[in-house]
Amino acid sequence: MLRIRFGKPALGALAGALLLAISACGGGGGGGGDAANTGASGSGAATSDLKVGLAFDIGGRGDKSFNDSAYAGLMRAKDELKAEVKDLSPVGDGSNRGELLRRLAGAGFNPIIGVGFAYAGDVETVAKEYPDVQFAIVDAPSSGPNVTGLTFAEHEGSYLAGVAAALKSKSGHLGFVGGVESDLIRKFEAGFVKGAKDTKPDIKIDSKYLTPDGDFKGFKAPDKGKTAAEKMFEDGADIVYHAAGDSGLGVFQAAAAAGAGKWAIGVDSDQAQTVKDAALQKIIMTSMIKRVDNGVFEFVKSAQGGAKGGKTISYDLKLEGVGLATTGDHISDVQDKVDEAKKKIISGEIKVPDKP
């Protein structure tokens, strides 16, 4: 009898291909938000040898923020580089992140992007299992020779948000809502507070985190975001900035309910354009944009050209990796001062802290 023995990589490839084939045939069922989204982002016949896999963070595609920005970069790779693409979303608690990466790698996707710092450990582990696959992780540094870190100067962009908020505030009182009290989200708070205080030293700023470090439910709890922002508006704040993922929807709802003169600042994407509710669009003063889309696309493009990992790329103000949205024309009257602060950060005249 002829016996064929598969090594670990071959078994992984076979298992990954079978899992994706089952998913494509509807084997996953209608499990709602807690089921892995094996969505069909162009997972049909390939138009090139480039197969790009992307694993979302909690919230998945449709979060109108961080994940959707990454998805825009993936779609750009599909359109401009003629890549075959596949996106997957984790279960509600994110416990299957490693499984998603293995599923993509085993099915022949290369390169693969993990969206969010919560993927750090899984990317490091799975990249060692698949040394010939190029991986990228958003919001975390490189952890191996085939891993590219895509990081962003959130503190610099948040500084500009702080400048704009301080100049626009009528009450001299601002708020900040963070989803998870992690080092990454503290960067947003640090920049925002510094920008506001440099602009108006006596301004008051309330800060609230929805969950402690390690508990990522804070990124998907609009009710908690709303409660936190409501308290800030009741206490006198007239502008609240969020870095809370899906929970930011609650911040917007609180601002809309608080009445005239109350504003919210969005994050990651231009949320005045991505939020569907017209009533909420009107109260978004600006958004601190992280160009995750550009980071994802440039990584895919470089991987297609043969570039290898082992490095971390930081998208800062100088590289236009962060900035403020102007939708609604709400900050045009302070834009000159925002631009002045931007120039000083790029030149090094202003040093923005990345810790509160």
Side-chain angles (χ1 to χ4, degrees), residues 218-306:
F219 290 133
K220 201 173 182 182
D223 56 336
K224 290 185 177 181
K226 184 177 181 180
T227 298
E230 283 175 341
K231 180 68 164 59
M232 293 175 182
F233 287 124
E234 289 170 1
D235 289 345
D238 56 356
I239 302 172
V240 176
Y241 174 39
H242 90 85
D246 274 356
S247 301
L249 177 62
V251 174
F252 299 152
Q253 291 169 338
K262 307 299 184 183
W263 296 93
I265 297 177
V267 76
D268 294 334
S269 300
D270 184 352
Q271 294 199 280
Q273 292 189 1
T274 60
V275 172
K276 294 181 179 178
D277 189 332
L280 301 185
Q281 293 171 359
K282 293 177 183 177
I283 55 81
I284 299 175
M285 188 181 81
T286 182
S287 294
M288 198 292 284
I289 300 175
K290 281 175 61 173
R291 297 306 303 268
V292 178
D293 56 335
N294 285 351
V296 167
F297 175 79
E298 291 300 332
F299 163 70
V300 173
K301 185 177 180 181
S302 65
Q304 184 185 40

Side-chain angles (χ1 to χ4, degrees), residues 24 61 86 129 140 193 214 235 256 283 290 308 319 344:
R61 177 149 49 100
K86 188 76 178 180
E129 297 172 7
V193 170
D235 289 345
I283 55 81
K290 281 175 61 173
K308 304 299 181 183
L319 291 178
K344 289 181 178 180

Side-chain angles (χ1 to χ4, degrees), residues 23 28-29 31-39 87-92 96 99-100 103:
S23 297
D34 286 345
N37 168 26
T38 57
D87 64 271
L88 302 174
S89 291
V91 294
N96 67 333
E99 175 192 335
L100 301 185
R103 192 183 301 181

